Amino acid sequence: MTYLPLPEPGQTPLRVLTIAGSDSGGGAGIQADLRTFAMLGVHGLVAVAAVTVQNSVGVSGFHEIPVQVVADQIVAVASDIGLQAAKTGMLASSEIIETVAETARGQGIGTAVPLVVDPVCASMHGDPLLHMSALDALRTKLFPIATLVTPNLDEVRLLVGVDVVDEASQREAAKALHALGPKWVLVKGGHLRSAPHSPDLLFDGAEFHRFDAPRVDTGHDHGAGDTLAAATAAALAHGHSVPEAVEFAKRWITECLRAAYPLGRGHGPVNPMFRLRG
């Protein structure tokens, strides 16, 4: 596949901010974002919103970072280092979501700087990573400033009450999500097991774009959603349009799945380091 370019030696790289949770197992969250950023030629900036206690078999707990600390991290890096794109992941609570939305808006994130919102609600094992009371804050505070939102089908069901079972219901979900205010919506179809391929549907309120990829037969897919959103944000930082960035990220995550490796007793992570093989 064609990669995003790496910076020349001594050149200041493009910068992308991830506002998300830390994964102690290293497979998802901020750790997955930073691996993909590095492999795609951008410097990763970090605002830690939560610390999880997890490994390959599940999440046993999480600790929310105080909201002022979350806000201060965003302002510190945005005001000094600057950034070309941002993404969010696990934000845990309505208070953190509201703080992130307000702080991001004050730094031009979501306007001058594209913002990818991955509305993380639960781990791949079904363990909660977001207080259910925070769903409304996602809908009303963060979605309206998002350049792109990237929910999986479980998150779609929680956010807009649409059970995606085919292309028609996927389109219905995209329209319902777009009505919440983001510029673009990507309804990911990786969990649509009835489809022979993995169909993702992108919508801007007027036009649909469909991205298909062959399913990769692996049980090691931890961090796939984070990696897709991070790759999209990196491509946006490189100046690609939203459809171009999503198309690239779809190819990227497919290769990361093909290169995934076992880890621990459960699900291993997707592997963006495949690029090191050339």
Side-chain angles (χ1 to χ4, degrees):
M1 65 174 291
T2 302
Y3 302 124
L4 300 178
L6 300 176
E8 295 296 325
Q11 175 188 3
T12 300
L14 298 166
R15 286 84 66 200
V16 179
L17 169 65
T18 173
I19 310 166
S22 171
D23 175 358
S24 54
I30 282 171
Q31 287 78 3
D33 293 341
L34 292 178
R35 280 198 298 275
T36 280
F37 291 164
M39 292 297 103
L40 296 179
V42 301
H43 176 83
L45 307 171
V46 172
V48 181
V51 175
T52 68
V53 180
Q54 65 175 297
N55 53 27
S56 69
V57 296
V59 180
S60 58
F62 64 84
H63 171 74
E64 299 168 25
I65 302 300
V67 293
Q68 190 60 54
V69 176
V70 177
D72 289 347
Q73 292 174 87
I74 297 170
V75 172
V77 296
S79 61
D80 171 48
I81 299 171
L83 54 143
Q84 284 71 50
K87 73 167 290 285
T88 66
M90 176 192 179
L91 298 180
S93 71
S94 57
E95 292 80 9
I96 292 175
I97 293 168
E98 290 167 5
T99 296
V100 166
E102 180 181 356
T103 308
R105 190 181 293 109
Q107 299 299 316
I109 299 171
T111 51
V113 175
L115 172 63
V116 177
V117 172
D118 184 13
V120 176
C121 298
S123 75
M124 63 178 300
H125 305 281
D127 302 307
L129 295 174
L130 178 76
H131 297 300
M132 288 301 101
S133 60
L135 283 172
D136 192 54
L138 273 177
R139 298 185 193 100
T140 62
K141 302 297 184 181
L142 201 55
F143 278 26
I145 69 168
T147 306
L148 172 70
V149 297
T150 63
N152 63 34
L153 300 189
D154 295 326
E155 291 157 351
V156 167
R157 190 179 304 109
L158 288 170
L159 288 162
V160 293
V162 177
D163 190 12
V164 175
V165 296
D166 53 21
E167 185 174 356
S169 52
Q170 195 175 26
R171 286 178 173 243
E172 178 189 355
K175 291 176 181 177
L177 287 160
H178 189 267
L180 297 175
K183 297 179 182 70
W184 295 81
V185 172
L186 182 68
V187 180
K188 298 181 295 189
H191 294 182
L192 191 59
R193 299 301 179 185
S194 60
H197 290 75
S198 175
D200 293 356
L201 191 66
L202 181 67
F203 182 58
D204 67 348
E207 188 175 0
F208 290 100
H209 304 260
R210 184 180 173 91
F211 303 96
D212 283 322
R215 290 191 178 276
V216 178
D217 185 16
T218 178
H220 304 303
D221 54 358
H222 188 42
D226 310 77
T227 300
L228 176 74
T232 304
L236 291 172
H238 277 278
H240 291 278
S241 68
V242 171
E244 290 169 344
V246 170
E247 182 180 21
F248 169 81
K250 182 71 169 178
R251 295 197 308 269
W252 178 260
I253 190 58
T254 300
E255 296 305 316
C256 291
L257 284 162
R258 288 195 176 112
Y261 52 83
L263 197 69
R265 294 176 287 113
H267 292 270
V270 301
N271 181 19
M273 294 180 290
F274 76 88
R275 181 175 185 177
L276 297 175
R277 295 199 297 266

